[in-house]
Each structure stands twice: as structure tokens, then as C-alpha cells.
Amino acid sequence: MNKIIATVLLAASLATADVCQDIYTNEDEFTGEITQRNPFDFTSSLNPIAIYKHIRGGSAVYSLILSVKGSDNYSRLKNVDVKFFDGTVYSFKNAEVNARYSDGWNYSTMITLTREQFSIFKSKNIQKYRLSIYSREVGPEESATFKGFVNCL
């Protein structure tokens, strides 16, 4: 099983150049600020992971957005954990998790990443993440594609 996962991750990593063409870029015509992001759709289970790059005054800020479906309405949730295929877990203890109803409960978080944290997402593949009490598995192909998007920024 590990050989299959490794093969899928390697193949998807080689396709990084292909995913770069899917990056959305927007320049604010008044401020000149540039925003780049990968395609996402938080209301379905398609692409519920996003990485944003916001360039203002020559300096870049990166944000990670994660979304997961839940069964009940909970408010004031905190704590986000991301598990990588190598077994390591990175925790954002104070990250707020927001709930929104759209054809079921959707929970999401937006985390501003430090350069060190951004480097982790550039070099590792996400296996699973948990937003407080709700978690979502990320398949090897989806994980490698997301890592490709991160490396495009």
C-alpha cells in the first residue's frame, strides 16, 4: 500500500507544472495588490483546501484555508490539526473554526502562515486534517495536487 501511495505522490509531483496554469491571479486596479490562489469549492467536497498568496508592497502573505462538512451546529470552535503522509502532525491550537449552513453544515478556517509553516506545506503531503471535532481524509492524488499548487506560489 505504501508503494502505491508513494507512486501516486511521485507522479502527481511531476505534474506540478500542469497545475500552475490553474492558479487564479487577480490584481486590484486601485492598490496594485495581487492575490493568487488555487481553485477551490468549499460547499461541495471538491477542492476543500486552498492556499492564498497576497502580495502588498512587495511582501507576500500566505494563508491556508481548510473546509470540512459536519453534522451539527457548533460555535466558538478552535484548534486545527494537519497530519502529513510522513506521520508528522502540525497543530494550530488557536485557529478559529467557523460554521456556515449551505446544504448542510460546513466548517472552515483561514490560517495565516509564517514562512516556516509555508515551507512545511511546500515539502509535505497532507493526509488528513481536523477542524476542532470534524476531520477529512485527503487522498494521495489530491494531496500531491495541493502540494503542487503550494509550490506554484
Side-chain angles (χ1 to χ4, degrees):
M1 179 66 166
N2 286 339
K3 286 184 180 182
I4 293 171
I5 291 172
T7 302
V8 169
L9 292 175
L10 177 62
S13 295
L14 295 174
T16 297
D18 293 336
V19 300
C20 290
Q21 65 190 7
D22 293 332
I23 294 286
Y24 294 105
T25 300
N26 183 47
E27 183 172 354
D28 185 296
E29 63 183 290
F30 296 102
T31 65
E33 295 176 7
I34 298 170
T35 303
Q36 295 178 304
R37 66 169 175 82
N38 63 294
F40 65 87
D41 181 0
F42 297 136
T43 57
S44 72
S45 292
L46 305 171
N47 303 324
I49 307 172
I51 188 78
Y52 268 82
K53 179 180 181 182
H54 186 88
I55 303 168
R56 181 184 318 165
S59 137
V61 175
Y62 298 92
S63 299
L64 174 69
I65 301 174
L66 303 169
S67 180
V68 66
K69 289 195 174 280
S71 58
D72 294 311
N73 181 18
Y74 293 98
S75 60
R76 299 179 195 233
L77 297 177
K78 287 194 176 200
N79 193 42
V80 173
D81 298 308
V82 178
K83 182 178 180 182
F84 298 96
F85 275 100
D86 68 2
T88 60
V89 176
Y90 199 94
S91 295
F92 299 92
K93 296 290 182 198
N94 293 316
E96 292 185 17
V97 178
N98 302 303
R100 182 172 58 101
Y101 192 85
S102 175
D103 194 31
W105 287 104
N106 293 295
Y107 292 85
S108 62
T109 189
M110 182 173 187
I111 301 166
T112 301
L113 301 175
T114 65
R115 289 224 179 262
E116 176 186 321
Q117 292 165 336
F118 182 71
S119 293
I120 291 170
F121 286 92
K122 284 181 79 165
S123 64
K124 296 185 179 222
N125 292 319
I126 299 173
Q127 180 181 12
K128 184 176 191 174
Y129 58 87
R130 177 175 53 208
L131 306 185
S132 189
I133 59 174
Y134 293 111
S135 62
R136 180 179 179 276
E137 297 277 340
V138 180
E141 187 174 336
E142 178 187 6
S143 180
T145 299
F146 179 72
K147 181 180 168 189
F149 284 129
V150 174
N151 280 285
C152 292
L153 302 180

